Amino acid sequence: MSTSASFQQHVSVRLTVNGETVHRDVEARRHLVDFLRLDLGLTGSHAGCEQGVCGACTLRVNGDIVRGCLMLVAQLDGAEIWTVEGLSETGEIRDLQDEFIRRNALQCGFCTPGMLLTAAELLARPEELGREEIREHLSGNYCRCTGYEAIVDAVASTMAARREAAEPEAAR
């Protein structure tokens, strides 16, 4: 039995990142969060625990939020990826970001991009959710600064404002 295995060191991937097509040859072992930060200069998502526990590296891949530290870029050929920068540019989370600022729901900002993407997923749901459900949904994202109350307040306020804005449209 040979001790030298023939593993592919680099892979070619084509992705859509924040609406733009990206084609790169990457190391087969390159994590998504590192690829975005180091190769594409998209530094909004952070590498925190590097075990998928803290939520700092949360990203949207093919419509679902994922932990960027647990995904290899090689797994994602053909995937659509959205970062906090992309969602900010499209305006999808502008109201949520404004509410985070208004409620002082961010301090050091390390967790904020992951919190925003996780909250955006929650806000996309059609049903109205209470504070405990919001807290439960955000529970996979650690924040060491705010104590979470202001974050839950910001998400709840954004949810209420979006619902109120949609009511006149539904009545038409």
Side-chain angles (χ1 to χ4, degrees):
M1 182 170 159
S2 172
T3 57
S4 65
S6 175
F7 293 105
Q8 193 172 354
Q9 297 288 322
H10 287 83
V11 295
S12 179
V13 294
R14 182 179 302 272
L15 312 163
T16 303
V17 179
N18 297 334
E20 301 287 326
T21 301
V22 175
H23 184 255
R24 294 281 196 291
D25 288 327
V26 297
E27 277 188 277
R29 63 183 184 157
R30 182 74 135 186
H31 289 101
L32 177 57
V33 70
D34 294 328
F35 171 74
L36 293 169
R37 290 180 62 80
L38 303 173
D39 297 354
L40 300 184
L42 297 169
T43 58
S45 300
H46 298 116
C49 68
E50 297 187 19
Q51 297 174 12
V53 177
C54 75
C57 64
T58 302
L59 300 157
R60 188 185 290 170
V61 175
N62 294 330
D64 297 316
I65 59 168
V66 300
R67 301 296 195 237
C69 71
L70 297 179
M71 298 203 75
L72 298 175
V73 180
Q75 295 174 272
L76 300 172
D77 190 41
E80 179 182 39
I81 299 161
W82 286 92
T83 68
V84 70
E85 293 96 337
L87 295 182
S88 295
E89 288 174 11
T90 66
E92 178 181 333
I93 60 172
R94 171 51 42 205
D95 57 344
L96 179 61
Q97 289 171 307
D98 289 344
E99 200 60 25
F100 261 61
I101 293 166
R102 191 174 85 69
R103 297 279 183 164
N104 197 28
L106 59 133
Q107 289 180 23
C108 81
F110 194 80
C111 73
T112 305
M115 287 285 186
L116 289 169
L117 266 87
T118 302
E121 179 187 58
L122 184 68
L123 292 168
R125 294 181 181 178
E127 70 270 13
E128 182 179 339
L129 301 173
R131 292 182 66 79
E132 285 306 311
E133 294 156 316
I134 293 169
R135 187 179 304 283
E136 176 67 26
H137 190 77
L138 297 174
S139 68
N141 293 70
Y142 291 170
C143 176
R144 302 196 187 277
C145 300
T146 67
Y148 297 98
E149 283 304 308
I151 295 170
V152 174
D153 291 344
V155 175
S157 294
T158 304
M159 187 178 293
R162 286 185 182 185
R163 186 177 57 253
E164 186 177 308
E167 285 176 8
E169 292 176 18
R172 292 180 198 165

